[in-house]
């Protein structure tokens, strides 16, 4: 049997393989709510413009509401032969209300319909990501305020560089996630134009009111070009690109958690709720949630790459290739949402081991820069010379197998005779972080201020 939606010119039905490659209902049924919402807005507009009668419009709206409750209660039967969510809904509508159902598709095509449905779905998803990012920022900023003065090693090249505070480290991520959030909001603003009424590609000869449907669906305005409207998938590509950048940030934090909770570092303790054990090694407590957040990055980037590649060679306007956007986008966006939830839970429960962090901060000659700065400030050496002198002292310390603050004053004097006992005051990690008061620096006062600033801004939203 040929397809009852478009089979007028067909004598035969599709091959089973054709049905399998063509049907998208197994995944695009996710768009049922958006599809019904879009159809209701469309038919109300058709009635307002006297393109369909008020009675038909009423029957259609009621039928669509029935379908919504059938889908939500699990009694709706989806059919692969009907390809996608749009035709499944419309076919059921015909069963429920008879021939009036056929009037719904006036001045519309599946091409503008699918673009509308998908945009509505992506828009909701961006709003969820926005909320999730803000929750994560809140958890991080609260923890940062609590640990604004707790010292840990700051790294470059994963080598001890200079002491920082744990709060400062966490606040670095708050800044990253704040930028991620602003990207999400920006993407939402740009995508919020309604494709509905662009029809197949060229617009329609019916006297429709696109502003009315745009408004009913919460869009800022209708799209200005019908070809663009049905061909555009950059809204979802942009959402995936936002997701990819966020995933990259999450993955860096996840990587740090994995390193920090190793026995060799021992900087943090993960809660039991976000770790797992080993079936053979009883001592193990593995940071699986962090590892999975790190791993999800792959499939999130993959979905972005998939869509960019799928779109790149398509002539205007719609091609069926574009149906391949959904599964990948659903997967990529569900993954980022889950990764955010897992990271938020993990960070909420994570406990720093302050003593271990502090001890590590004092090792690896991490206050060498403080020594060099002291030579500049107190003895008036040019920084380059101070750097050289300090380098010699570090070499001395390495030779003796001690930390910088354990090198005897006489030995220091042999390198730089003007050095005094006072130098030892800057070699402590606490002093080091307290002295970093430049704007954006790691001093506890600074960190506390930044954490409070963010907490206040988040609470005021
Ligand atoms: N299921 C299709 C998709 O997701 C809907 C649009 C079909 N349009 C068409 N002209 N065949 O892209």
């Amino acid at each position: 049997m040929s397809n009852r939606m478009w089979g007028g010119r067909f004598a035969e039905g599709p091959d089973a393989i054709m049905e399998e490659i063509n049907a998208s209902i197994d995944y695009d049924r996710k768009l049922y709510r958006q599809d019904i919402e879009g159809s209701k807005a469309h038919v109300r507009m058709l009635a307002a413009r006297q393109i369909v009668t008020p009675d038909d419009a009423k029957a259609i709206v009621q039928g669509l509401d029935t379908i919504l409750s059938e889908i939500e209660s699990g009694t709706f039967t989806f059919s692969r032969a009907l390809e996608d969510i749009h035709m499944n809904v419309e076919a059921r509508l015909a069963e429920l209300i008879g021939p009036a159902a056929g009037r719904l598709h006036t001045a519309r095509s599946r091409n503008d319909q699918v673009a509308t449905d998908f945009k509505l779905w992506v828009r909701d998803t961006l709003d969820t990501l926005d909320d999730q990012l803000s929750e994560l920022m809140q958890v991080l900023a609260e923890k940062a305020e609590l640990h604004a003065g707790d010292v840990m090693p700051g790294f470059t090249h994963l080598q001890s560089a200079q002491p920082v505070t744990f709060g400062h480290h966490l606040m670095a991520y708050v800044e990253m996630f704040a930028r991620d959030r602003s990207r999400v909001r920006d993407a939402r603003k740009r995508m919020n134009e309604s494709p509905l009424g662009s029809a197949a590609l060229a617009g329609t000869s019916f006297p429709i009111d696109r502003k009315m449907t745009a408004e009913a669906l919460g869009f800022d305005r209708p799209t200005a070009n019908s070809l663009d409207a049905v061909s555009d998938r950059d809204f979802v590509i942009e959402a995936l690109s936002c997701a990819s950048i966020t995933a990259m940030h999450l993955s860096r934090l996840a990587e740090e958690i994995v390193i920090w909770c190793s026995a060799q570092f021992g900087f943090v303790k993960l809660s039991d709720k976000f770790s797992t054990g080993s079936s053979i090694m009883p001592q193990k407590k593995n940071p699986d949630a962090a590892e999975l957040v790190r791993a999800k990055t792959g499939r999130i980037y993959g979905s972005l790459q998939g869509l960019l590649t799928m779109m790149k060679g398509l002539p205007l306007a719609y091609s069926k290739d574009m149906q391949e956007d959904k599964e990948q986008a659903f997967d990529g966006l569900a993954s980022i949402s889950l990764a955010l939830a897992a990271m938020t839970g993990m960070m909420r429960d994570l406990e720093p081991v302050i003593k271990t962090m502090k001890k590590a901060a004092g090792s690896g000659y991490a206050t060498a820069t403080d020594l060099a700065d002291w030579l500049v400030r107190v003895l008036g050496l040019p920084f380059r010379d101070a750097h050289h002198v300090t380098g010699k002292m570090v070499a001395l310390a390495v030779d003796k197998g001690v930390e910088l603050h354990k090198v005897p004053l006489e030995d220091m004097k042999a390198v730089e005779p003007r050095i005094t006992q006072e130098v030892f005051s800057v070699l402590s990690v606490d002093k080091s972080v307290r002295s970093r008061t430049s704007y954006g620096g790691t001093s506890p006062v600074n960190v506390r201020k930044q954490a409070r600033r963010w907490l206040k801004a988040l609470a005021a939203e």
Side-chain angles (χ1 to χ4, degrees):
M1 194 185 67
S2 69
N3 187 296
R4 67 179 131 149
M5 293 289 170
W6 46 249
R9 62 163 294 180
F10 287 69
E12 269 190 280
D15 190 274
I17 296 293
M18 177 58 196
E19 195 169 289
E20 176 153 3
I21 195 170
N22 193 34
S24 53
I25 189 62
D26 291 345
Y27 47 88
D28 71 13
R29 63 173 70 179
K30 224 186 185 60
L31 300 176
Y32 73 89
R33 221 166 8 89
Q34 290 78 6
D35 193 68
I36 288 171
E37 202 189 331
S39 289
K40 280 162 71 174
H42 182 66
V43 77
R44 285 189 177 121
M45 179 279 292
L46 292 178
R49 302 295 294 168
Q50 282 144 25
I51 300 167
V52 302
T53 65
D55 283 350
D56 282 347
K58 201 171 154 203
I60 289 172
V61 168
Q62 279 174 355
L64 289 168
D65 282 335
T66 305
I67 293 170
L68 182 66
S69 56
E70 285 178 354
I71 296 178
E72 299 207 315
S73 64
T75 57
F76 189 94
T77 317
F78 291 100
S79 144
R80 268 194 160 187
L82 288 163
E83 291 182 22
D84 55 26
I85 185 64
H86 325 293
M87 297 210 294
N88 269 270
V89 169
E90 202 183 317
R92 177 68 183 140
L93 189 65
E95 281 172 13
L96 287 171
I97 69 165
R103 300 196 183 278
L104 169 62
H105 214 50
T106 317
R108 186 179 79 168
S109 148
R110 270 191 295 158
N111 297 349
D112 58 337
Q113 191 179 357
V114 72
T116 305
D117 292 5
F118 202 26
K119 263 196 173 181
L120 290 172
W121 186 87
V122 170
R123 194 177 70 188
D124 282 353
T125 306
L126 287 176
D127 288 343
T128 308
L129 291 182
D130 188 6
D131 291 345
Q132 286 190 289
L133 281 164
S134 119
E135 200 188 335
L136 176 56
M137 286 170 66
Q138 163 120 14
V139 165
L140 292 172
E142 278 169 3
K143 196 143 275 190
E145 190 188 9
L146 204 64
H147 299 289
D150 292 326
V151 180
M152 71 178 280
F155 299 95
T156 59
H157 314 269
L158 198 57
Q159 308 278 324
S160 246
Q162 293 176 354
V164 294
T165 73
F166 185 53
H168 197 51
H169 199 110
L170 296 179
M171 288 309 296
Y173 282 101
V174 169
E175 294 294 331
M176 293 177 232
F177 293 128
R179 288 195 296 276
D180 289 345
R181 238 186 129 196
S182 80
R183 264 183 285 272
V184 163
R185 291 179 163 205
D186 199 40
R188 187 199 200 279
K189 240 184 262 160
R190 199 168 7 262
M191 69 166 287
N192 205 25
E193 295 185 338
S194 171
L196 195 57
S198 299
L201 73 161
T204 173
S205 56
F206 289 99
I208 58 171
D209 182 349
R210 293 192 57 209
K211 278 201 177 136
M212 183 178 166
T213 45
E215 206 170 299
L217 297 170
F219 288 112
D220 294 331
R221 64 193 80 83
T223 51
N225 182 299
S226 60
L227 284 171
D228 173 46
V230 296
S231 310
D232 165 32
R233 291 294 179 274
D234 41 287
F235 64 91
V236 55
I237 290 175
E238 197 172 356
L240 289 169
S241 139
C242 293
S244 295
I245 296 176
T246 300
M248 175 273 292
H249 286 151
L250 286 173
S251 185
R252 295 184 75 179
L253 181 52
E255 168 72 6
E256 294 195 315
I257 293 173
V258 171
I259 294 174
W260 290 345
C261 74
S262 67
Q264 289 69 18
F265 268 73
F267 283 7
V268 297
K269 279 200 184 114
L270 287 179
S271 74
D272 289 354
K273 286 190 275 172
F274 286 95
S275 13
T276 60
S278 154
S279 51
I280 175 166
M281 297 165 282
Q283 85 283 10
K284 295 277 268 182
K285 185 165 165 185
N286 296 326
D288 290 34
E291 291 168 311
L292 287 163
V293 167
R294 190 173 59 183
K296 295 275 180 208
T297 312
R299 55 204 284 180
I300 296 166
Y301 291 0
S303 62
L304 173 62
Q305 282 306 325
L307 256 71
L308 283 169
T309 311
M310 180 272 283
M311 288 299 289
K312 86 176 197 26
L314 300 187
L316 302 188
Y318 179 85
S319 297
K320 198 61 173 268
D321 309 53
M322 289 159 80
Q323 175 167 284
E324 285 290 309
D325 58 358
K326 280 167 222 69
E327 238 179 333
Q328 305 186 67
F330 289 152
D331 184 76
L333 293 169
S335 299
I336 190 66
S337 189
L338 184 57
L340 276 165
M343 184 55 86
T344 304
M346 236 184 320
M347 290 310 295
R348 190 178 278 125
D349 287 4
L350 178 133
E351 275 182 44
V353 185
I354 296 163
K355 258 177 130 175
T356 311
M357 279 186 169
K358 188 166 179 181
K359 196 160 166 241
S363 68
Y365 317 103
T367 51
T369 317
D370 297 87
L371 172 54
D373 287 350
W374 185 88
L375 295 170
V376 171
R377 217 174 31 246
V378 180
L379 303 186
L381 261 62
F383 183 77
R384 281 292 158 222
D385 296 348
H387 184 285
H388 193 73
V389 169
T390 308
K392 285 193 161 166
M393 301 214 187
V394 170
L396 211 68
V398 173
D399 261 2
K400 288 187 173 293
V402 295
E403 287 300 329
L404 214 44
H405 65 278
K406 289 275 158 65
V407 176
L409 185 60
E410 307 79 71
D411 292 353
M412 289 199 184
K413 275 184 181 292
V415 180
E416 169 52 64
R418 287 175 294 162
I419 227 161
T420 65
Q421 181 69 28
E422 199 202 319
V423 74
F424 289 100
S425 70
V426 297
L427 298 182
S428 101
V429 290
D430 278 314
K431 285 248 171 64
S432 169
V433 295
R434 258 186 274 139
S435 71
R436 300 279 196 268
T437 51
S438 58
Y439 181 73
T442 194
S443 80
V445 178
N446 226 342
V447 173
R448 213 163 283 125
K449 215 190 263 169
Q450 291 292 345
R452 286 190 187 141
R453 175 175 74 86
W454 274 115
L455 288 171
K456 207 166 138 198
L458 290 168
E461 278 175 7

